[in-house]
Amino acid sequence: MSNNGSGSSKENQFVLWFEKIGMDDLPLVGGKSASLGEMYRKLTLYGIKIPNGFAVTVEGYYHFLRSAGIQDKIKQIIKGLDTHDIRDLQRRGKKIRQLICSRDLPLDLQKAIVANYRKLERQYGGNVDVAVRSSGTAEDLPGASFAGQHDTYLNIRGPEALLNACQRCFASLFTDRAISYRKDKHFSHFSIGLSIAIQKMVRSDIASSGVMFSIDTESGHKDMVLINAAYGLGEGIVQGAVNPDEFYVHKPTLIKNYRPIVSKTLGTKRTKMVYATGRKSIKYVPVMVRDQKKFSVTDDEVLQLARWAVIIEEHYSREANTFRPMDMEWAKDGETGELFILQARPETVVSQRDGNVLEQFILLKKGKHLVSGAPVGVRIGIGRANVIKNVKSATNFAKGDVLVTHMTDPDWEPYMKLASAIVTNEGGRTSHAAIISRELGIPAVVGADGATSKIKHGQTVTVSCSEGEIGHVYAGKLPFRIDRTNLKEIKRPDKTEIKMIFGTPELAFHTSQIPNDGVGLAREEFIISSYIKIHPMALVKYPRLKDKKAKKEIDRLTRGYDDKKQYYVDKLAYGVATIASAFYPKEVIVRLADFRSNEYSELIGGREFEPEERNPMIGWRGASRYYDPSYRPAFNLECKALKKVRYEMGLDNIHVMVPFCRTVEEGKKVIQAMADNGLHQKTNGLEIYMMCEIPSNVILADLFAQIFDGFSIGSNDLTQLTLGLDRDSGLIAHVGDENDEAVKRMIADVIRVAKKYNRKIGICGQAPSDFPEFAKFLVDHGIDSISLNPDAILKTTVALAEM
């Protein structure tokens, strides 16, 4: 053992200064303390800031037990305990904690703690504020994170308060939830020790703080850093008392020095945890409304935190000699403006999943909608709603109930493990409720505002986390199915690429795990209608907008944006970037917005800018809009968004596709309009494709091939226009069939021309999935790729492999 701390060698067994903890000392300190010690010695070399402090070692804990002579009494109290008997668990746990707190810490341990606290005072000033963090020796193990099982105390000042907090930390080894958790995970109560990290507080109470993961906590996507941020001390996020801001950063392009914040979501952040005086050291206070409407950290700070997350992940992966995604807490000091890492530990849930098994929960029917919030996991749970306002009143909780409450903390865990699902009013995806529900493998909807009042106690509910970015709670017992696929058993076609038709950013990280060769058609329409919701020209012409109702709604949606046009650019960029980053580095072909005029008019403020057309299906749509002076300012915004994704975020795997391009001249005009906005064909590898969906595209394929880099056959429109159909007319829908000989000749001809001019060619549509003979026809003619909806990928992949 090294002899680097203050005091004697014997005292060094009990208290060790962070910066001097050696590798030989690490067995003496628990998971978090070990992380702090090792991080302090190594990661500060990378410029990562970590608050200074010291650790009370596991040996200090055992020294206390021996000195107090209480271990046999604890064993006697806990003997014969049934953790499912909640009242008995509470009675015995309280008795053990009272026993521990009734004994004084050994004098030599007290002296060592106080001596090191005085050392902190010499560095930071008298009565220095510290965080006192418990750290169990069994924490952060695969399948057993022990998250939040033991207590942490913030803003502790003075030797007496510090010694008292340390004693309460030792007692927290026997909280009801920790006893129950150890029993369920088959850990001996006496093989686990506890160390304590005493750490200089970062003044995030007057700034912001949060939690971050170097992996997507829902899908397990390895290329993402997820950052949650809110005002005040970070314990507010961990406890789930705050709905935080959320950011996703793409690691592969971050390390290339781009700025790849691919997603930003503003949290409500109604309250924050701050310092208090008197008996309580911390308290919650309201956040001013103007601050709720702003992000709690800047983009530069998000990127700095993400860089540190990558460094920390790489460091621990090297130490473990295996990929080791990390769970980290961070804080910003409101006095200095500096960022700090408070702790780092391995992520122990999503990283342990079997990546070869794809599990999909599919809701077969929807019922009356009750509430919605952020989903945790992708599963569906059904049960009797047990609405509980306070954990102390939670006595009649049955196995299989759905736990509905304001928020959870570790005291709720004996009930959480019985639940079929969890719903909370507050909290984000890094809150306590989210972390524990992931570990238990049950669905949770967190931040479901008003859940405890909108869901009636005793009613049967269905909790669905299977529908993307939003989790829903429905009344009643709804039917669903579970599809499980062993991806190892999926054979891939040799010559034909299988790509996706995709347009829903919130599903991108999960969906990208289905075997695929990229995205052959990334639609912008869902992003515009669901995320942006506003007609782009209504933002361009905002000062002169006549529709007062639309203007009021625009003000609400674009709050925080002085330049309304930038709202459109940012929102579209984040949507496209989320999809591009999920599939990176595979090709993602983004089709330019292809709404028809009747669809555009339904967007907020759209009626002022759209004509009334008798047949908008073949009216003012696609390429004809992009160079038209009436729409060109809106197209410029679209180009700026795509430029931001490629050149600011570094996602150069996206390429652009022009829809409904009637003539070669139109194609040239669109390519020039893109170049005018900084999207130059061939520069930085940018390729521009065209949808082949009009007979003129096939007839003049040789001329189109001279200006575009490839074709994607839009079989729906090509069938409609080849056979003279109106796709919206049900009277003649039976005639529309891609297997019609006229349509097949069109397709065969354009494939031949594409091959002659060495242009890529694919097809987008469900026909290859619905008609195996049509898929065989495409393969026989040498199609390069087939793009399908995600639910048809696996079936078609298998069929083509067999061909």
Side-chain angles (χ1 to χ4, degrees):
M1 166 139 17
S2 61
N3 185 24
N4 295 322
S6 63
S8 68
S9 177
K10 183 178 179 181
E11 286 176 348
N12 277 339
Q13 292 181 310
F14 306 146
V15 179
L16 296 168
W17 197 253
F18 285 166
E19 62 187 357
K20 295 182 178 178
I21 292 177
M23 289 302 293
D24 292 339
D25 299 320
L26 294 183
L28 293 174
V29 288
K32 295 177 197 171
S33 302
S35 299
L36 286 165
E38 201 172 0
M39 282 170 63
Y40 206 99
R41 290 189 303 107
K42 293 189 176 183
L43 297 182
T44 49
L45 298 175
Y46 295 105
I48 295 175
K49 292 184 173 65
I50 303 165
N52 210 349
F54 57 95
V56 177
T57 68
V58 177
E59 186 58 38
Y61 166 73
Y62 289 132
H63 177 49
F64 164 67
L65 286 185
R66 289 190 298 269
S67 173
I70 58 176
Q71 187 158 331
D72 289 341
K73 291 183 180 180
I74 294 173
K75 288 181 180 179
Q76 190 61 39
I77 294 170
I78 214 164
K79 186 178 180 181
L81 171 66
D82 176 7
T83 57
H84 295 282
D85 184 339
I86 302 297
R87 289 186 184 277
D88 189 39
L89 172 63
Q90 291 171 339
R91 182 182 62 82
R92 297 194 198 209
K94 183 178 180 180
K95 194 172 182 180
I96 294 172
R97 294 191 297 276
Q98 287 177 337
L99 176 63
I100 292 173
C101 289
S102 71
R103 300 295 197 269
D104 290 333
L105 297 177
L107 191 58
D108 53 351
L109 180 57
Q110 290 187 41
K111 287 181 178 179
I113 293 171
V114 172
N116 280 274
Y117 179 73
R118 296 299 187 201
K119 186 176 178 181
L120 272 181
E121 284 188 316
R122 289 194 293 274
Q123 186 174 352
Y124 297 105
N127 212 35
V128 61
D129 51 337
V130 294
V132 184
R133 301 175 181 272
S134 302
S135 181
T137 55
E139 287 185 358
D140 310 318
L141 300 175
S145 71
F146 282 83
Q149 298 301 318
H150 313 119
D151 290 343
T152 289
Y153 299 96
L154 304 178
N155 188 27
I156 301 301
R157 296 172 182 269
E160 184 178 347
L162 175 58
L163 293 173
N164 180 264
C166 288
Q167 191 148 10
R168 284 184 288 161
C169 282
F170 284 157
S172 74
L173 196 59
F174 290 92
T175 56
D176 300 344
R177 72 241 182 195
I179 295 169
S180 174
Y181 193 89
R182 284 195 296 270
K183 180 91 170 179
D184 291 343
K185 295 294 182 180
H186 307 292
F187 283 89
S188 165
H189 296 293
F190 304 100
S191 64
I192 292 175
L194 191 89
S195 66
I196 304 169
I198 292 100
Q199 188 178 32
K200 170 67 177 77
M201 287 286 292
V202 175
R203 291 302 305 270
S204 59
D205 60 306
I206 52 175
S208 54
S209 61
V211 177
M212 65 179 172
F213 289 83
S214 63
I215 190 171
D216 177 37
T217 54
E218 302 308 317
S219 67
H221 201 296
K222 297 178 180 180
D223 284 350
M224 298 298 153
V225 175
L226 167 63
I227 299 174
N228 276 186
Y231 301 114
L233 301 173
E235 199 70 11
I237 292 179
V238 175
Q239 291 180 359
V242 180
N243 289 340
D245 300 329
E246 184 175 272
F247 307 85
Y248 277 99
V249 182
H250 184 236
K251 290 190 286 190
T253 48
L254 177 71
I255 61 178
K256 295 179 180 178
N257 294 320
Y258 288 100
R259 298 175 60 84
I261 301 174
V262 300
S263 174
K264 291 172 66 172
T265 305
L266 189 70
T268 55
K269 308 184 297 296
R270 296 190 185 103
T271 62
K272 63 179 178 178
M273 182 183 283
V274 298
Y275 281 14
T277 56
R279 293 184 61 188
K280 291 187 176 181
S281 61
I282 52 175
K283 63 181 179 180
Y284 282 102
V285 297
V287 174
M288 287 187 290
V289 173
R290 70 170 184 267
D291 290 332
Q292 293 177 28
K293 296 178 180 180
K294 297 187 297 185
F295 285 104
S296 53
V297 285
T298 66
D299 285 358
D300 285 343
E301 289 167 341
V302 168
L303 293 168
Q304 182 61 67
L305 289 168
R307 291 186 194 101
W308 285 357
V310 171
I311 291 169
I312 292 168
E313 179 186 82
E314 289 177 348
H315 168 74
Y316 280 100
S317 295
R318 281 195 303 270
E319 292 291 319
N321 202 29
T322 187
F323 175 61
R324 183 61 58 81
M326 300 297 289
D327 167 359
M328 293 149 281
E329 292 183 25
W330 62 271
K332 178 181 177 180
D333 194 301
E335 294 179 337
T336 67
E338 295 177 302
L339 294 171
F340 289 85
I341 297 295
L342 304 182
Q343 69 177 43
R345 58 191 177 196
E347 194 284 332
T348 60
V349 180
V350 69
S351 57
Q352 303 302 311
R353 291 179 189 162
D354 184 354
N356 293 312
V357 177
L358 181 68
E359 185 178 71
Q360 295 172 293
F361 280 65
I362 296 138
L363 191 66
L364 301 176
K365 179 184 176 183
K366 293 185 179 180
K368 179 184 176 183
H369 185 266
L370 299 176
V371 293
S372 58
V376 179
V378 294
R379 297 185 172 188
I380 297 171
I382 297 173
R384 180 183 76 102
N386 199 324
V387 182
I388 306 172
K389 301 292 177 68
N390 190 306
V391 69
K392 293 178 181 177
S393 63
T395 54
N396 298 312
F397 194 90
K399 186 174 178 60
D401 282 357
V402 173
L403 174 60
V404 183
T405 189
H406 182 66
M407 66 182 201
T408 70
D409 60 32
D411 288 333
W412 286 90
E413 289 172 29
Y415 307 98
M416 297 171 79
K417 68 183 183 183
L418 300 174
S420 60
I422 298 168
V423 184
T424 64
N425 290 340
E426 299 289 346
R429 283 190 270 203
T430 57
S431 66
H432 175 267
I435 291 170
I436 298 304
S437 63
R438 277 188 209 102
E439 185 169 329
L440 295 173
I442 59 175
V445 175
V446 297
D449 195 21
T452 52
S453 58
K454 295 175 183 177
I455 299 174
K456 303 303 179 187
H457 181 79
Q459 76 174 123
T460 299
V461 296
T462 298
V463 179
S464 172
C465 296
S466 66
E467 301 170 66
E469 186 73 5
I470 300 175
H472 299 281
V473 182
Y474 301 101
K477 182 179 180 179
L478 302 181
F480 68 93
R481 76 169 194 268
I482 307 171
D483 293 343
R484 292 186 178 90
T485 306
N486 188 334
L487 301 181
K488 280 187 173 181
E489 297 175 357
I490 300 295
K491 294 182 179 179
R492 308 274 293 148
D494 292 331
K495 296 180 180 179
T496 309
E497 291 185 331
I498 304 297
K499 297 185 176 182
M500 288 194 190
I501 300 172
F502 200 75
T504 314
E506 62 263 30
L507 296 175
F509 297 149
H510 280 288
T511 306
S512 66
Q513 296 175 25
I514 299 172
N516 68 85
D517 295 302
V519 178
L521 172 58
R523 295 188 175 114
E524 291 184 358
E525 290 79 24
F526 180 83
I527 300 169
I528 295 170
S529 62
S530 297
Y531 288 78
I532 299 173
K533 301 182 180 181
I534 305 168
H535 194 290
M537 288 303 298
L539 295 168
V540 172
K541 302 283 188 180
Y542 172 79
R544 298 188 294 279
L545 200 61
K546 299 174 185 176
D547 188 337
K548 292 183 179 178
K549 183 179 178 182
K551 203 165 188 178
K552 185 177 180 181
E553 186 64 7
I554 290 171
D555 287 340
R556 184 184 70 83
L557 289 171
T558 62
R559 67 185 183 209
Y561 280 91
D562 294 329
D563 182 354
K564 303 301 181 184
K565 299 187 294 296
Q566 192 61 40
Y567 167 82
Y568 190 92
V569 173
D570 287 349
K571 287 286 188 179
L572 182 57
Y574 292 139
V576 171
T578 298
I579 297 172
S581 62
F583 289 87
Y584 186 89
K586 297 173 184 174
E587 181 180 57
V588 173
I589 300 174
V590 180
R591 185 181 69 185
L592 297 170
D594 192 25
F595 281 127
R596 292 166 278 176
S597 55
N598 61 321
E599 294 168 331
Y600 264 122
S601 67
E602 293 301 314
L603 296 173
I604 296 168
R607 297 192 186 280
E608 285 188 31
F609 304 98
E610 294 299 326
E612 288 190 17
E613 297 183 290
R614 286 197 169 188
N615 191 347
M617 181 70 77
I618 53 173
W620 193 38
R621 61 174 287 202
S624 299
R625 278 183 174 264
Y626 308 145
Y627 59 86
D628 189 308
S630 298
Y631 189 81
R632 175 65 187 269
F635 183 63
N636 292 345
L637 300 183
E638 189 172 353
C639 290
K640 286 178 180 177
L642 296 176
K643 184 181 178 182
K644 179 175 181 175
V645 176
R646 279 188 64 88
Y647 298 111
E648 184 176 318
M649 302 183 190
L651 293 163
D652 55 9
N653 60 320
I654 72 162
H655 301 289
V656 180
M657 184 151 62
V658 180
F660 226 75
C661 185
R662 294 173 170 92
T663 69
V664 175
E665 190 60 31
E666 272 200 326
K668 291 178 179 178
K669 288 181 179 179
V670 173
I671 292 171
Q672 183 58 52
M674 290 175 62
D676 292 343
N677 282 284
L679 291 171
H680 298 276
Q681 191 174 20
K682 302 298 185 185
T683 299
N684 198 31
L686 175 63
E687 295 181 338
I688 303 177
Y689 300 91
M690 68 168 281
M691 291 290 294
C692 180
E693 51 193 345
I694 305 171
S696 64
N697 299 153
V698 179
I699 295 166
L700 300 178
D702 57 330
L703 299 181
F704 281 110
Q706 293 176 39
I707 64 169
F708 287 107
D709 298 298
F711 302 92
S712 182
I713 300 164
S715 57
N716 290 334
D717 275 344
L718 186 60
T719 299
Q720 169 190 234
L721 297 173
T722 299
L723 299 179
L725 303 173
D726 181 348
R727 264 170 58 191
D728 291 338
S729 172
L731 297 174
I732 52 175
H734 63 282
V735 180
D737 183 352
E738 288 92 335
N739 265 315
D740 186 274
E741 186 60 29
V743 177
K744 289 170 74 173
R745 287 191 186 189
M746 283 278 188
I747 291 173
D749 199 36
V750 75
I751 292 174
R752 177 185 59 79
V753 174
K755 295 293 181 182
K756 178 180 178 181
Y757 286 88
N758 195 29
R759 293 290 183 264
K760 298 175 184 177
I761 185 159
I763 188 168
C764 301
Q766 283 303 100
S769 174
D770 296 338
F771 308 111
E773 68 277 13
F774 186 71
K776 186 176 187 303
F777 159 78
L778 294 170
V779 173
D780 289 346
H781 280 79
I783 195 101
D784 293 322
S785 65
I786 296 174
S787 297
L788 305 156
N789 289 328
D791 60 358
I793 290 281
L794 294 175
K795 180 180 77 171
T796 308
T797 297
V798 171
L800 290 179
E802 290 174 352
M803 288 180 192

